[in-house]
Amino acid sequence: MNGYSEAETVYTRRFSPQNCAPPAALAAPFQSLFPICFVPVTSCGNDSCEYLLSSGRFLGEKVWQPHSCMMHKYKISEAKNCLVDKHIAFIGDSRIRQLFYSFVKIINPQFKEEGNKHGNIPFEDKISSVKVDFLWHPEVNGSMKQCIKVWTEDSVAKPHVIVAGAATWSIKIHNGSNEALSQYKMNITSIAPLLEKLAKTSDVYWVLQDPVYEDLLSENRKMITNEKIDAYNEAAVSILNSSTRNSKSNVKMFSVSKLIAQETITESLDGLHLPESSRETSAMILMNVYCNKILKPVDGSCCQPRPPLTLIQKLAACFFTLSIIGYLIFYIIHRNTHRKNKPCTDLESGEEKKNIINTSVSPLEVLLQSFCKLGLIMAYFYMCDRANLFMKENKFYTHSTFFIPIIYILVLGVFYNENTKETKVLNREQTDEWKGWMQLVILIYHISGASTFLPVYMHIRVLVAAYLFQTGYGHFSYFWIKGDFGIHRVCQVLFRLNFLVVVLCIVMDRPYQFYYFVPLVTVWFMVIYVTLALWPQIIQKKANGNCFWHFGLLLKLAFLLLCICFLAYSQGAFEKIFSLWPLSKCFELKGNVYEWWFRWRLDRYVVFHGMLFAFIYLALQKRQVLSEGKGEPLFSNKISNFLLFISVVSFLTYSIWASSCKNKAECNELHPSVSVVQILAFILIRNIPGYARSVYSSFFAWFGKISLELFICQYHIWLAADTRGILVLIPGNPMLNIIVSTFIFVCVAHEISQITNDLAQIIIPKDNSSLLKRLACIAAFFCGLLILSSIQDKSRH
């Protein structure tokens, strides 16, 4: 299971696209740790349909991974939607009949394997008008030729898909004679032109023969050897591929089933027919080959054409191109000016005379340089996840792929320890550290596909809630202490949160709600701002003079909680609010706002908890109840020990509960109310001991400063297919691929963070009159974007 056998390697060299050879021995040492990235065949082109039909390997026991692309698992409704009014024909022997049954069961799982084994078997789904037929022709002979020839006549309706193949029957009844092989070659040569003619209007697949398990074969089948099967396969490939002289054959070789069979034939009951799981895999491959180009599933990159550029994408490309050209012109002019002002030597004194020049960088240069770098980065984003230039593969979860990297980063994080500048609860270094290790864990969770393991899923949900808790805590603390409700502060925060996502929505042609976390944080920031900014504005300075204002703030928070509860349990009211134009353009996904409601509802209380915690903490701090000196416990020893004990017990209790959940629906229902338990437990464990509060991990803190960019960038340049798969930059070497893709991903996230900060200083000035003018320009930009988006939607429909 963890590598290719010698026979399989030989076969892959013969029949894989462009004769690519699999470096299995080279990649084998890494497959146990990184099975999600293991690629047995080197990259030789980008025809994912050929790869899907000819090469791949098993992830685990039953999950098939095509080389270089992602295979979608079709549901009944999807299969019927794709095959509506279609006719599929399977022609061949008992092995083709098995494939026919497995294909039909994708459409109708209740379909039973009954009827005459040596006769034709029809299937029809009247609701979707899908017709699938099996035609019993166990030999490539005149009978099969006549059946195919009828379809070539103009007056006869042709099947949309034809799947044919046969050989073992000929080997059996002719006792494996060479004369039978010669006759097979002659017969398939006469059929080849007919198949080519059909392939011009229909999808035609010739199924190569799977190997047999010779030890299990009955006496009357002992002549069916793998050597004979290989000879028949070579004959079919050589004849069908050479049936057209001037162009590539239109008849597609379905050779991947041989690779599947080599791993699973030992599970066969009779040594000839494949186990059910193998047949299901082959049938799903056929479904992907035909349906991916029609339905274009996000997690099915095989056989999908590159999406055409939209009008908005073309305009964005023009803008970034002009920015790059503008910056190059500016750079050349600036360099020439710098040379003219180069310090000259005083011939009399031998000293340099420096011309007085202004060396400060102009805002125009920063603007052009930022957009130039951003344009190059966005080109990389597009190439990774839209241009079909790089490979994409499905995720496959194992405990080792999640927990081993977690251990690695924890060791690194503990190793890089430094003293904090201040020792207050949730100081800046500590919150950066918290964001950093949470973000790294979430990244590993995403790339390993750990969402399928419920205990891990529930703990990751707590990490997402913790981000939102910090949102409530941080913004409440700022407004409460500083009382800065000015428009500049709001615009700065909104710009930093949304700049990258807006650019990606344009470049990658994705809705705003697709990057769900940013809309979530943005909306909650506005909720916090409105709650505190509305009359009466209550801030710490005012409240210190009169305790009545503390009561007023608590009333505000109580009203906010009431609104949250109402919207959480009134889906209709929530959807009415966010279905209003233009909010609907931001929060709709697949034509409705249900996904947004689900995401918002999942962590509906945690921001409120963060605000309440900030209020209580700042009130205790103001009254000097807390001891926040270096090395001092937060409370007295008895209280500190008691709270630590309660926190550890609460932390472990939540983990036990999360690990014992029966299903996601049940866990998600309770999560909003109980997630704060583990968050508060962590804060107390991290801050009560003075020594723990006085140090932080600079390794985690560095990542924490770019956590937002890391979260967003992973969608397209570390993961692939909008997080559904894995980006493969270097096939065949999983360790090197992880190192290279991660290095580029982190560098890009860091650079985007710098670009965002630079642009924020220019686009959001502190002067109110200038800011209002910029806001008018930004509003005009978004109006234009909405108009273009509406035009695009109409053209698509």
Side-chain angles (χ1 to χ4, degrees), residues 1 25 53 89 131 222 224 232 242 285 297 510 705 714 750:
M1 302 296 287
L53 292 169
K131 185 180 179 183
K222 286 293 184 183
I224 307 175
Y232 275 72
S242 62
I285 290 172
R510 282 292 173 264
K705 291 174 183 176
Q714 67 168 324
H750 182 267

Side-chain angles (χ1 to χ4, degrees), residues 58 71 88 212 224 355 368 399 503 556 633 671:
F58 274 105
M71 194 167 78
I88 298 95
V212 296
I224 307 175
N355 294 323
L368 287 173
H399 291 319
V503 173
K556 275 193 170 188
H671 167 77

Side-chain angles (χ1 to χ4, degrees), residues 451-691:
S451 60
T452 57
F453 187 48
L454 190 56
V456 172
Y457 166 82
M458 287 308 302
H459 284 84
I460 296 299
R461 289 274 9 123
V462 174
L463 298 189
V464 175
Y467 267 101
L468 293 171
F469 181 93
Q470 286 194 49
T471 297
Y473 172 84
H475 291 305
F476 178 91
S477 299
Y478 179 87
F479 290 128
W480 176 248
I481 295 170
K482 296 195 174 183
D484 179 10
F485 297 102
I487 191 171
H488 177 263
R489 163 71 181 178
V490 176
C491 292
Q492 280 275 338
V493 173
L494 293 179
F495 183 87
R496 291 175 190 274
L497 286 176
N498 292 276
F499 173 71
L500 176 57
V501 164
V502 170
V503 173
L504 286 177
C505 288
I506 293 169
V507 173
M508 307 303 288
D509 189 29
R510 282 292 173 264
Y512 178 65
Q513 180 54 34
F514 174 76
Y515 307 93
Y516 74 93
F517 187 73
V518 172
L520 203 57
V521 176
T522 301
V523 167
W524 278 117
F525 167 73
M526 292 306 300
V527 168
I528 297 167
Y529 175 78
V530 170
T531 301
L532 298 177
L534 284 179
W535 184 89
Q537 286 186 3
I538 305 172
I539 60 175
Q540 188 180 56
K541 187 177 180 181
K542 183 186 290 187
N544 288 337
N546 189 340
C547 292
F548 173 78
W549 291 113
H550 285 97
F551 179 70
L553 181 64
L554 289 174
L555 285 177
K556 275 193 170 188
L557 293 178
F559 180 73
L560 173 61
L561 180 61
L562 188 65
C563 292
I564 291 170
C565 293
F566 172 73
L567 291 175
Y569 293 100
S570 178
Q571 183 180 350
F574 186 95
E575 290 184 349
K576 282 181 181 178
I577 294 171
F578 288 97
S579 294
L580 296 172
W581 193 91
L583 286 178
S584 59
K585 295 296 292 183
C586 295
F587 296 100
E588 278 187 357
L589 196 64
K590 298 179 182 178
N592 59 68
V593 296
Y594 173 78
E595 180 72 16
W596 166 234
W597 180 76
F598 172 77
R599 294 285 187 183
W600 176 87
R601 191 173 183 270
L602 203 56
D603 294 299
R604 57 187 178 272
Y605 299 128
V606 74
V607 173
F608 172 81
H609 290 146
M611 296 171 69
L612 188 61
F613 176 82
F615 173 71
I616 295 171
Y617 162 68
L618 292 172
L620 293 175
Q621 186 187 58
K622 194 67 179 176
R623 283 158 180 73
Q624 298 180 348
V625 175
L626 307 176
S627 301
E628 294 183 301
K630 189 172 183 179
E632 296 179 359
L634 200 60
F635 303 96
S636 64
N637 288 332
K638 287 185 178 180
I639 296 176
S640 295
N641 291 335
F642 174 74
L643 288 176
L644 272 176
F645 175 76
I646 294 296
S647 300
V648 171
V649 170
S650 301
F651 192 93
L652 295 176
T653 301
Y654 179 90
S655 292
I656 293 169
W657 170 79
S659 302
S660 61
C661 267
K662 295 179 181 179
N663 54 67
K664 283 186 179 180
E666 177 185 307
C667 292
N668 287 336
E669 192 62 34
L670 291 173
H671 167 77
S673 303
V674 299
S675 61
V676 70
V677 172
Q678 198 164 40
I679 295 170
L680 290 177
F682 171 79
I683 292 173
L684 293 176
I685 293 169
R686 182 71 178 82
N687 286 276
I688 286 177
Y691 61 85

Side-chain angles (χ1 to χ4, degrees), residues 97-111:
R97 183 180 65 237
Q98 281 189 309
L99 185 58
F100 157 79
Y101 278 124
S102 296
F103 188 87
V104 168
K105 284 181 180 179
I106 298 175
I107 306 167
N108 181 8
Q110 282 73 44
F111 189 70

Side-chain angles (χ1 to χ4, degrees), residues 434-454:
W434 192 7
K435 290 178 183 177
W437 70 256
M438 287 195 303
Q439 185 57 63
L440 292 177
V441 171
I442 290 172
L443 290 175
I444 295 169
Y445 165 81
H446 281 154
I447 200 169
S448 63
S451 60
T452 57
F453 187 48
L454 190 56

Side-chain angles (χ1 to χ4, degrees), residues 48 69-70 294 311 378 388 432 488 506 508 755 782 788:
S48 58
C69 64
M70 297 164 59
I294 298 173
L311 176 61
M378 288 301 110
N388 291 345
D432 283 341
H488 177 263
I506 293 169
M508 307 303 288
I755 291 170
F782 280 108
L788 290 174

Side-chain angles (χ1 to χ4, degrees), residues 693-747:
R693 205 172 58 251
S694 302
V695 296
Y696 77 105
S697 169
S698 57
F699 175 79
F700 289 141
W702 188 89
F703 285 99
K705 291 174 183 176
I706 58 170
S707 58
L708 182 66
E709 287 76 16
L710 287 170
F711 188 88
I712 299 168
C713 289
Q714 67 168 324
Y715 277 70
H716 303 295
I717 61 170
W718 198 52
L719 304 175
D722 301 332
T723 74
R724 302 305 203 288
I726 308 295
L727 179 67
V728 181
L729 298 177
I730 304 174
N733 196 328
M735 181 67 78
L736 185 59
N737 179 71
I738 285 289
I739 292 171
V740 172
S741 64
T742 303
F743 177 76
I744 296 173
F745 160 57
V746 173
C747 288

